Amino acid sequence: MYGKIKEYLQHELAEIEAAGLYKRERIIASPQRAEIEVAGRKVLNFCANNYLGLSDNPRLIEAAKKAMDARGYGMSSVRFICGCQDIHKELEKAIADYFGTEDTILYAACFDANGGVFEPLFSEEDAIISDSLNHASIIDGVRLCKAVRYRYANADMGELEECLKKAQAQRFRIIVTDGVFSMDGNAAPLDRICALAEKYDALVMVDECHSAGVLGETGRGITELYDLRGQVDILTGTLGKAFGGAVGGFTTGRREIIDMLRQRSRPYLFSNSLPPAVVGAGIETFKMLAESHELHDRLVANVEHFRAGMMAAGFDIKPTQSAICAVMLYDAKLSQEFAAKLQDEGVFVTGFYYPVVPKGQARIRVQVSAGHTIEQLDRCIAAFTKVGKELNVIK
């Protein structure tokens, strides 16, 4: 019975290969850090979400070991059946304190947090108004909900206002946006979004995955950047990027919203609790960030240094307020060839193309970390410049 679909899949895969768009995973044989080992050689890593350089931090590793010694390897159950440990509640409080919110609920990943937030809160009587560049997890979460859907062009406040006017026909309305859009690196205009939400009686939800630890004076995310701490109804985020780089997601916000998610959010109800090692390291992460914002300051300086060097070399870089620098190449095959040549030069990056980004908008997304040194940043710029000239991207 597998024969017909096997032929179909083989044909589709061959077409992807012929188009030069086949995705091949590369194997890392070292800890995740600024310099890693790939295919038997050391390369500079510029495609991880390791914004604060914490993925191999000794304090987090030690905290994970201590938590495993004290609380075991895994939970072997979901929370509403078998409960959670004291450290899970401690981590939830630490996250709420960090963002200035009332309560937090933990998930296995932020994909689950975004997938499980809409259906418990909204019905066909309500409206969800979503930015066109929101992450796939938000899109999938919206699809699971019966609410009326509206969509506005990326950060277009005129279109958002028109959507809000139409959505007055519904009972409740929520505006949903990424804090930082993962492919372009731009920050949502949250001050204007909140002003429109106030005007048209709407809730606001922000995915902080690429903005937490990065934006704001001390790195506490987009609500700190716009002086809106505690004023956004729902924030979702991950422990898998700036906050240590492991796994785990969360939703933090208004107490009653979090309470309802505990009652009805399916990814929460039917997924195992986070393992103690991840929770212990997560708690230590927020202790470190409360002690100092040195890592955030270093990240900001690194981003400024890298952008200045790349633009001086002549590259087309999208404007960014984050640690994401989109080096625009526009052609899918070129992005793949460019990335392969960069790896030969000792720089580990990935080319992005349709359907991850719109057709004709292929790019290499460079992600800068607080773990990078200035010397490593300069080596990356030099490699980009060399390959860029070879491929006639720059002169």
Side-chain angles (χ1 to χ4, degrees):
M1 61 185 287
Y2 180 57
K4 289 182 180 179
I5 192 169
K6 178 181 179 180
E7 290 179 7
Y8 166 77
L9 293 174
Q10 288 175 336
H11 174 73
E12 290 294 301
L13 289 167
E15 286 198 344
I16 294 171
E17 178 83 56
L21 305 179
Y22 194 90
K23 301 175 184 68
R24 288 182 169 81
E25 294 184 355
R26 297 169 292 179
I27 309 301
I28 299 173
S30 66
Q32 180 67 282
R33 52 169 66 118
E35 188 172 61
I36 57 177
E37 185 176 327
V38 178
R41 61 177 298 202
K42 290 184 177 181
V43 294
L44 297 178
N45 190 359
F46 280 91
C47 58
N49 303 309
N50 187 22
Y51 296 128
L52 297 179
L54 292 173
S55 294
D56 67 333
N57 184 274
R59 275 183 64 173
L60 301 194
I61 295 169
E62 185 61 26
K65 291 177 180 177
K66 288 182 177 178
M68 198 160 16
D69 287 341
R71 295 292 185 273
Y73 175 68
M75 292 300 294
S76 302
S77 186
V78 300
R79 285 173 71 159
F80 87 94
I81 294 176
C82 202
C84 67
Q85 294 175 328
D86 51 352
I87 57 175
H88 291 83
K89 301 305 295 184
E90 185 179 349
L91 177 57
E92 287 175 341
K93 184 179 185 303
I95 292 170
D97 290 345
Y98 184 84
F99 288 101
T101 53
E102 294 175 355
D103 200 3
T104 300
I105 179 173
L106 294 173
Y107 288 87
C110 191
F111 208 107
D112 290 325
N114 285 335
V117 70
F118 301 106
E119 190 270 338
L121 301 174
F122 305 104
S123 72
E124 61 273 5
E125 298 179 70
D126 307 313
I128 300 172
I129 307 166
S130 182
D131 190 288
S132 63
L133 292 188
N134 278 343
H135 191 266
S137 58
I138 293 175
I139 295 169
D140 284 0
V142 171
R143 286 172 176 164
L144 294 170
C145 179
K146 295 180 180 178
V148 179
R149 305 167 193 173
Y150 298 90
R151 187 169 175 261
Y152 63 96
N154 179 233
D156 187 323
M157 295 299 96
E159 280 198 21
L160 173 57
E161 185 163 17
E162 289 305 310
C163 291
L164 284 163
K165 289 177 181 177
K166 294 175 183 176
Q168 296 305 298
Q170 280 75 53
R171 179 185 57 171
F172 303 133
R173 290 153 294 283
I174 185 167
I175 304 166
V176 185
T177 181
D178 282 7
V180 164
F181 297 93
S182 60
M183 287 298 125
D184 287 3
N186 59 310
L190 189 60
D191 53 346
R192 297 166 65 193
I193 289 172
C194 287
L196 287 172
E198 184 71 23
K199 180 177 179 180
Y200 290 98
D201 191 25
L203 300 171
V204 176
M205 170 183 155
V206 179
D207 179 323
E208 284 266 33
C209 282
H210 290 277
S211 49
V214 178
L215 299 187
E217 185 178 354
T218 67
R220 280 169 169 74
I222 195 165
T223 59
E224 183 182 55
L225 178 68
Y226 288 106
D227 195 23
L228 291 167
R229 278 174 57 80
Q231 298 181 47
V232 172
D233 303 289
I234 301 172
L235 300 174
T236 60
T238 181
L239 302 176
K241 292 183 172 59
F243 299 144
V247 293
F250 57 84
T251 300
T252 190
R254 309 289 188 190
R255 190 174 309 282
E256 296 78 8
I257 289 173
I258 303 304
D259 283 348
M260 184 56 72
L261 294 179
R262 292 193 195 280
Q263 302 304 310
R264 294 183 178 172
S265 181
R266 291 167 71 86
Y268 174 79
L269 292 172
F270 299 106
S271 295
N272 269 18
S273 300
L274 286 175
V278 171
V279 176
I283 293 168
E284 192 68 21
T285 294
F286 289 102
K287 287 180 180 178
M288 290 178 63
L289 298 181
E291 293 168 5
S292 167
H293 47 84
E294 176 190 352
L295 292 175
H296 170 259
D297 293 347
R298 191 185 310 160
L299 173 63
V300 171
N302 281 354
V303 172
E304 291 175 352
H305 181 90
F306 181 79
R307 275 183 53 78
M310 289 290 284
M311 293 178 74
F315 285 100
D316 182 1
I317 309 288
K318 277 187 173 287
T320 184
Q321 296 161 278
S322 67
I324 296 168
C325 298
V327 183
M328 300 305 296
L329 299 172
Y330 302 102
D331 179 83
K333 278 192 171 183
L334 175 61
S335 71
Q336 296 297 90
E337 184 181 2
F338 205 116
K341 284 183 173 291
L342 280 173
Q343 186 162 333
D344 291 339
E345 296 295 326
V347 174
F348 192 67
V349 291
T350 300
F352 290 87
Y353 46 86
Y354 181 83
V356 179
V357 296
K359 287 184 178 179
Q361 291 292 307
R363 81 277 311 264
I364 289 175
R365 182 182 68 172
V366 178
Q367 289 164 282
V368 179
S369 168
H372 290 125
T373 65
I374 294 298
E375 184 269 339
Q376 289 171 334
L377 295 170
D378 287 341
R379 281 165 56 193
C380 181
I381 295 166
F384 260 96
T385 302
K386 179 181 178 182
V387 175
K389 290 179 178 178
E390 287 178 6
L391 297 179
N392 296 315
V393 173
I394 59 173
K395 295 180 179 179

